[in-house]
Amino acid sequence: MTVENGELYGAHACPVGMDIPRQLRMTLPAMNNSVRLSRYATRAVLTAWQLSHVDEAATLLVSELVTNAVRHARGTDVIMVDLHAGRTWLRIEVQDTDRHWPQPRTPDGYDESGFGFILVDALASNWGVRETDAGKAVWAELDTRRESGPGI
């Protein structure tokens, strides 16, 4: 992935009517600034893929999943962020080398953190964790079909 003059290269729009899966894979350092970079890349690629209508939810999901990997994945130097879109769905996956699966919890009313998986559960149509050769992948899916409102 290359960013030049404010434009993201390596992400291409799928021609209307085509059912070709689109994918963007980023390898980022397990550092705080990777959260910002992954949000920027998500917005840019969703625009290129003509999926701007799910930008807000997708960006929040990417932000939460990358933040969790950066903060909690022990022994991880890099993380992989994978965005994969089909005709009606977007799958967001974040891989790290920590074999310990996340432990979602219900935070107390006074907690300032711990709400990430509550947000993921509220936004995603489906989410989960899978084992990888190197560690684990946490994924979330969004339905990308445009909902037609009254009178549309």
Side-chain angles (χ1 to χ4, degrees):
M1 177 181 78
T2 305
V3 178
E4 195 172 296
N5 295 330
E7 293 185 30
L8 181 70
Y9 294 93
H12 303 284
C14 180
V16 176
M18 299 293 287
D19 196 19
I20 300 169
R22 298 149 288 173
Q23 187 168 14
L24 173 69
R25 178 166 287 159
M26 299 176 283
T27 301
L28 301 170
M31 298 172 50
N32 287 334
N33 66 344
S34 292
V35 177
R36 181 179 41 82
L37 179 58
S38 64
R39 283 193 306 256
Y40 173 80
T42 297
R43 285 186 194 107
V45 78
L46 291 178
T47 298
W49 291 346
Q50 300 174 3
L51 292 172
S52 298
H53 59 284
V54 296
D55 177 312
E56 199 170 312
T59 302
L60 279 169
L61 287 169
V62 165
S63 185
E64 285 301 322
L65 297 180
V66 172
T67 297
N68 283 345
V70 167
R71 284 189 183 166
H72 303 295
R74 292 171 277 194
T76 297
D77 294 326
V78 297
I79 56 173
M80 294 266 302
V81 180
D82 189 14
L83 303 178
H84 191 189
R87 182 182 293 273
T88 62
W89 50 267
L90 173 69
R91 183 179 178 106
I92 299 161
E93 186 172 276
V94 177
Q95 296 181 29
D96 60 56
T97 58
D98 187 354
R99 296 206 175 273
H100 294 92
W101 286 28
Q103 300 297 313
R105 64 184 181 91
T106 304
D108 291 332
Y110 298 108
D111 287 345
E112 293 182 10
S113 65
F115 294 92
F117 280 106
I118 293 171
L119 179 63
V120 169
D121 195 49
L123 292 174
S125 53
N126 199 9
W127 71 274
V129 183
R130 69 178 181 86
E131 189 175 317
T132 66
D133 290 340
K136 70 175 173 306
V138 182
W139 57 269
E141 293 177 346
L142 287 173
D143 185 334
T144 59
R145 292 174 287 199
R146 293 182 190 261
E147 295 182 7
S148 57
I152 296 178

